[in-house]
Amino acid sequence: MAVADFQTVIGLEVHAQLLTRTKIFCGCSTAFGGEPNTHVCPVCLGLPGVLPSLNRRVVEMAVRTGLALGCAVRPKSVWARKNYFYPDLPKGYQISQYELPICEGGEVPLTLDGVERTVRLVRIHMEEDAGKNVHDVSADGSSGVDLNRAGVPLLEIVSQPDLRSADEAVEYLKSLRAIVMALGVNDGNMQEGSLRCDANVSVMRRGASEYGTRCEIKNMNSFRFLRQAIEYEVRRQVELVESGGRVEQETRLFDPDRGETRSMRSKEEAHDYRYFPEPDLPPVIVEPALVERLRAELPELPRARAARYQSALGLSAYDAGNLVADAAVAGFFDAALAAYGEGAEAAKKVANWLTGEVARLANETGEAAASWKLTPQKLAAVLRLVDAGTIGGPGAKQVVEEVFRTGAEPEAVVKAKGLAQVSDAGALEAAVDKILAANPAEVEKHRSGKKDLTGFFVGQVMKETKGKANPAVVNALLRKKLGA
Ligand code: ADP
Ligand code: MG
Ligand code: ZN
């Protein structure tokens, strides 16, 4: 098999749950979780005799997203009924947009291996989410339906088949995620499914002029799964074609446990959605004045922000990219830097903490930046304690961790945990002497110039002092005692 003889072609359909407080056509809460079927009413339950009434915030968020991505915003767009029968869809149809979506065209920027490019969009439309089937809910193994999610507003963002590799698809999704988060229209929480995507994948022999037949892999909710699914699917299709077979257009599911995609339904069984205009909702009219107001309110977008961090603050592309991936983290960075200092060196320090230790802690706890107990002021205070020599690197790490978990004041943590660094040469001399006396062979090796063992001695002294020795002072003492 020769994957290299083939060109991969990918188009993504991304579903982004909008950050409205209430659902798209009723007043029910959009909050995630909650006891099953507690955020429901006759409208989102699809009971007869009710009428949907549009949440204006949904339209504003759709337009906001369209403007940020350079789409054309349709002054008049239309709702459509997408009919299908499924237990999590009590009405028997989903209200969506079909022929006349709210946004068309536009593009998403992405950077791969340092090269910037854009991926064209086909369209963005608004729709309602369906409910969720929950399996094994009771002792007899029966399934249930939770309709809390039914009627939660979504944007579907459809790309052109412009992507050429799994890596590119992942970068596209990362870029789009950063943008919708910066716009405040989506929380970027892929684990909870508030951002998820379908990948359309095909392969063609290099040099061919027509795209191959695509398969659509449904509903991936992590970057890792997206990458794995595409890579698996490309191998499967290439093997199929190489062995004389033909790719059939079908919908497939990714199984994360086995790292495989498998067929869900073929084109023959494909839904005929019998789309028709939604009779219960008037067309969506977007006045030019609204477009202009929303355009004026657009925030700085991730790519521009990253460029500014590089040019104005001297951050590396890597650090800048990491920070702007989450607008709340970038906001934290700005505030911490303002509280701490100015210039490239200060920026680098704050960025290091945020993309290193703090990111690790946030990952571990899954907490969004907006709800961290560590505030920008507290991070700045930790950095000042380091600058003043009160704590060293390892101590600072412990302080940050404790503040992150409890929200305590950094200075109080230093006191409570006894993390203050010992910088007094007199106090450290005994420890240095002890280590040198305990390691005569190493001292000899070092003195004879055979091997520079300074690092070893510093490490031993740190151990001896439980990490509290100021390494600079220890270094100076060693130089004095061992000769330069
Ligand atoms: P549908 O509505 O049936 O899903 P669309 O024409 O709207 O079909 O396309 C859906 C997605 O499939 C788009 O993101 C598009 O870029 C992508 N796509 C279309 N043709 C191909 C292809 N040959 N290979 C990969 N992706 C494709
Ligand atoms: Mg599709
Ligand atoms: Zn409702």
Side-chain angles (χ1 to χ4, degrees), residues 13 156 198 200 214 216 218:
E13 295 166 86
E156 179 170 333
D198 306 336
N200 295 269
R214 69 189 154 102
E216 178 172 356
K218 280 290 192 196

Side-chain angles (χ1 to χ4, degrees), residues 9-13 158-161 200-202 211-212 214 216:
V9 174
I10 304 161
L12 293 190
E13 295 166 86
V158 183
S159 86
Q160 294 280 359
N200 295 269
V201 179
S202 67
Y211 289 157
R214 69 189 154 102
E216 178 172 356

Side-chain angles (χ1 to χ4, degrees), residues 259-333:
E260 297 172 0
T261 65
R262 59 167 193 272
S263 186
M264 185 173 143
R265 55 173 180 263
S266 70
K267 198 181 179 187
E268 284 73 47
E269 318 158 51
H271 287 126
D272 173 3
Y273 292 120
R274 292 170 296 124
Y275 278 102
F276 64 86
E278 165 61 62
D280 289 343
L281 285 164
V284 179
I285 306 295
V286 178
E287 303 283 354
L290 175 65
V291 173
E292 285 330 303
R293 171 168 75 74
L294 293 172
R295 197 193 299 280
E297 286 172 9
L298 283 182
E300 184 180 36
L301 295 174
R303 187 185 260 193
R305 195 169 197 170
R308 180 166 62 80
Y309 284 167
Q310 290 174 70
S311 63
L313 300 174
L315 289 187
S316 68
Y318 181 80
D319 281 347
N322 267 335
L323 291 174
V324 305
D326 180 342
V329 172
F332 188 111
F333 168 77

Side-chain angles (χ1 to χ4, degrees), residues 423-480:
S423 300
D424 176 33
L428 289 175
E429 194 158 8
V432 171
D433 287 342
K434 184 171 168 195
I435 292 305
L436 294 181
N439 298 281
E442 279 75 13
V443 170
E444 184 44 42
K445 245 191 224 161
H446 183 89
R447 282 223 169 97
S448 66
K450 262 202 201 132
K451 209 168 169 198
D452 181 1
L453 287 166
T454 314
F456 166 77
F457 293 126
V458 173
Q460 293 298 307
V461 174
M462 291 311 270
K463 233 190 214 165
E464 175 69 23
T465 59
K466 301 199 166 55
K468 283 191 215 162
N470 181 332
V473 178
V474 175
N475 263 302
L477 281 169
L478 284 168
R479 262 199 308 277
K480 198 175 85 191

Side-chain angles (χ1 to χ4, degrees), residues 189-458:
N189 191 330
M190 299 182 69
Q191 219 169 343
E192 289 178 1
S194 36
L195 189 75
R196 51 192 196 262
C197 88
D198 306 336
N200 295 269
V201 179
S202 67
V203 299
M204 63 200 266
R205 280 191 196 279
R206 288 196 185 274
S209 55
E210 263 180 53
Y211 289 157
T213 303
R214 69 189 154 102
C215 289
E216 178 172 356
I217 315 163
K218 280 290 192 196
N219 253 332
M220 279 153 304
N221 67 345
S222 84
F223 296 120
R224 192 160 58 91
F225 293 164
L226 175 62
R227 183 192 310 278
Q228 285 176 352
I230 293 172
E231 284 172 353
Y232 176 88
E233 185 59 19
V234 167
R235 276 198 309 275
R236 187 188 71 85
Q237 292 185 13
V238 167
E239 259 169 46
L240 195 61
V241 174
E242 289 275 74
S243 62
R246 252 192 23 217
V247 176
E248 301 290 341
Q249 187 171 337
E250 61 182 356
T251 304
R252 300 178 69 86
L253 272 184
F254 178 64
D255 177 344
D257 295 327
R258 310 174 118 219
E260 297 172 0
T261 65
R262 59 167 193 272
S263 186
M264 185 173 143
R265 55 173 180 263
S266 70
K267 198 181 179 187
E268 284 73 47
E269 318 158 51
H271 287 126
D272 173 3
Y273 292 120
R274 292 170 296 124
Y275 278 102
F276 64 86
E278 165 61 62
D280 289 343
L281 285 164
V284 179
I285 306 295
V286 178
E287 303 283 354
L290 175 65
V291 173
E292 285 330 303
R293 171 168 75 74
L294 293 172
R295 197 193 299 280
E297 286 172 9
L298 283 182
E300 184 180 36
L301 295 174
R303 187 185 260 193
R305 195 169 197 170
R308 180 166 62 80
Y309 284 167
Q310 290 174 70
S311 63
L313 300 174
L315 289 187
S316 68
Y318 181 80
D319 281 347
N322 267 335
L323 291 174
V324 305
D326 180 342
V329 172
F332 188 111
F333 168 77
D334 290 345
L337 186 58
Y340 174 57
E342 272 170 29
E345 202 183 319
K348 177 75 187 155
K349 277 194 210 166
V350 177
N352 279 349
W353 277 101
L354 273 176
T355 58
E357 188 63 9
V358 178
R360 185 185 70 76
L361 290 163
N363 249 332
E364 206 179 284
T365 58
E367 246 175 300
S371 55
W372 289 347
K373 296 193 185 87
L374 174 76
T375 60
Q377 289 68 28
K378 286 176 180 166
L379 180 60
V382 175
L383 292 177
R384 278 195 298 269
L385 288 170
V386 175
D387 290 345
T390 310
I391 49 176
K397 229 170 154 172
Q398 288 184 61
V399 177
V400 166
E401 175 152 5
E402 182 66 15
V403 176
F404 191 92
R405 296 192 192 285
T406 66
E409 289 299 331
E411 295 203 31
V413 177
V414 172
K415 281 212 187 83
K417 295 196 170 248
L419 295 171
Q421 200 167 232
V422 181
S423 300
D424 176 33
L428 289 175
E429 194 158 8
V432 171
D433 287 342
K434 184 171 168 195
I435 292 305
L436 294 181
N439 298 281
E442 279 75 13
V443 170
E444 184 44 42
K445 245 191 224 161
H446 183 89
R447 282 223 169 97
S448 66
K450 262 202 201 132
K451 209 168 169 198
D452 181 1
L453 287 166
T454 314
F456 166 77
F457 293 126
V458 173

